């Protein structure tokens, strides 16, 4: 069986991974039937519940295969210890075999596979941390130049900047610009609350007037909590900051 995965940011395609794994299996005289290819596309390795991974677990538990192959151990999970736990508990403890074709890890070699998996897991996490630092530094420079970085508050739109260098994905550079139609509803809500209107009543009035919601809400109307956060957003006062907070993943 082969398990492959790529996220939207790490685009080593699943087809390329599968080819490498099948070739690695053939060199070890292992046959991989097409029905035992498990794939997760555009899904982060931080998620434990993924269709391809769940299918792979079901196949392993049913003992329909004796070997699972991956291109790299990091294709199992983003963090090394979870990948190690999966191989130990779901594969080795069940009398099965795991192979990472690009890293030369094979659980049949009882003396070295754990050490190799620890080392590769540590190096992968260090590489991701280094990449994150470089990306953050580049984004900071883009922000200082006035270009759009990240999501915009409700009431703003992305305005293309003519003659600016395209993004790394080849898309036009943009700068935040006021959306005239949306800003009218937001300004009215600010004035209503400042005049003493209860916040919940102002929220209902905003929605009834057709006030916009965050584009990330995928068409759902603005909730009361989102409305309250919108009125407290200091970007509407002209204070724009970058790197003030950083997301931290918790398992």
């Amino acid at each position: 069986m082969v398990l492959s995965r790529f996220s939207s940011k790490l685009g080593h395609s699943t087809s390329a991974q599968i080819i490498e794994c099948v070739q690695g299996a053939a060199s070890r005289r292992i046959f991989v039937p097409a029905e035992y290819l498990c794939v997760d596309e555009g899904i982060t390795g931080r998620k434990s519940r993924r269709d391809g991974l769940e299918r792979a677990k079901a196949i392993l538990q049913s003992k329909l295969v004796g070997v699972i192959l991956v291109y790299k151990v990091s294709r199992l999970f983003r963090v090394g210890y979870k990948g190690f736990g999966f191989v130990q508990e779901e594969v080795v403890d069940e009398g099965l075999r795991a192979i990472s074709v690009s890293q030369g890890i094979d659980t049949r070699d009882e003396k070295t596979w754990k050490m190799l998996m620890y080392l590769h897991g540590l190096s992968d996490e260090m590489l991701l941390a280094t990449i994150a630092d470089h990306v953050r530094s580049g984004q900071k420079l883009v922000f200082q130049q006035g270009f759009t970085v990240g999501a915009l508050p409700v009431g703003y739109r992305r305005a293309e900047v003519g003659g600016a260098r395209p993004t790394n994905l080849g898309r036009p550079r943009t700068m935040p610009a006021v959306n005239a139609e949306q800003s009218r509803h937001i300004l009215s809500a600010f004035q209503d609350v400042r005049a003493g209107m209860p916040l919940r009543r102002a929220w209902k009035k905003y929605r009834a007037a057709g006030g916009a919601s965050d584009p990330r809400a995928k068409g759902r109307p603005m909730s009361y909590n989102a409305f309250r956060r919108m009125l407290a957003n200091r970007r509407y006062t002209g204070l724009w900051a970058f790197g003030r907070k950083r997301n931290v993943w918790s398992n």
Side-chain angles (χ1 to χ4, degrees):
M1 175 179 65
V2 170
L3 173 62
S4 68
R5 177 190 66 81
F6 80 88
S7 65
S8 57
K9 295 180 180 179
L10 298 175
H12 193 86
S13 69
T14 52
S15 59
Q17 292 179 42
I18 289 173
I19 291 172
E20 294 285 346
C21 289
V22 171
Q23 291 177 345
S27 67
R28 295 170 174 82
R29 304 183 67 83
I30 299 172
F31 174 65
V32 181
E35 59 268 27
Y36 292 148
L37 300 178
C38 303
V39 175
D40 286 313
E41 293 189 337
I43 301 178
T44 176
R46 293 177 176 177
K47 292 186 177 181
S48 298
R49 294 184 179 180
R50 312 189 310 258
D51 291 342
L53 181 62
E54 292 298 318
R55 184 170 184 268
K57 288 181 178 179
I59 294 173
L60 291 172
Q61 291 170 1
S62 63
K63 299 296 179 67
L64 293 174
V65 300
V67 184
I68 178 172
L69 299 101
V70 294
Y71 179 68
K72 288 182 181 293
V73 175
S74 61
R75 301 303 87 199
L76 292 170
F77 291 97
R78 175 69 65 83
V79 290
Y81 77 89
K82 297 190 75 173
F84 180 87
F86 175 87
V87 172
Q88 180 68 63
E89 298 169 8
E90 303 285 345
V91 183
V92 176
D93 289 351
E94 298 298 324
L96 305 175
R97 180 183 178 189
I99 297 173
S100 171
V101 295
S102 69
Q103 297 166 321
I105 301 174
D106 188 340
T107 58
R108 175 174 287 183
D109 188 346
E110 298 179 357
K111 293 183 178 180
T112 64
W113 78 264
K114 291 183 179 181
M115 178 183 66
L116 289 174
M117 187 167 286
Y118 280 133
L119 290 174
H120 282 289
L122 179 61
S123 63
D124 286 342
E125 291 194 35
M126 292 177 64
L127 175 61
L128 288 173
T130 301
I131 292 174
D133 288 338
H134 285 294
V135 170
R136 194 175 300 110
S137 176
Q139 287 184 328
K140 181 179 179 180
L141 178 60
V142 171
F143 175 80
Q144 290 173 339
Q145 294 172 341
F147 297 123
T148 305
V149 176
L152 292 176
V154 181
Y156 286 88
R157 61 180 178 83
R158 296 172 182 267
E160 292 189 11
V161 180
R165 181 181 177 183
T167 67
N168 292 338
L169 296 177
R171 298 170 181 170
R173 287 287 180 191
T174 63
M175 299 183 72
V178 175
N179 184 311
E181 178 62 24
Q182 295 179 5
S183 64
R184 179 171 59 87
H185 297 294
I186 298 171
L187 181 59
S188 177
F190 270 107
Q191 291 173 341
D192 288 338
V193 173
R194 185 180 61 180
M197 180 181 291
L199 197 59
R200 188 168 294 275
R201 182 180 169 189
W203 164 64
K204 292 180 179 179
K205 179 182 176 181
Y206 176 85
R207 287 183 50 169
S213 59
D214 193 306
R216 292 170 294 181
K218 299 179 180 179
R220 295 189 298 269
M222 180 171 287
S223 66
Y224 172 74
N225 288 333
F227 178 77
R228 183 176 59 185
R229 289 194 301 270
M230 181 186 73
L231 295 185
N233 192 334
R234 301 192 67 181
R235 288 187 175 183
Y236 295 120
T237 68
L239 180 61
W240 290 64
F242 176 79
R244 185 169 53 88
K245 294 182 179 180
R246 183 180 300 180
N247 292 333
V248 178
W249 178 61
S250 171
N251 62 355

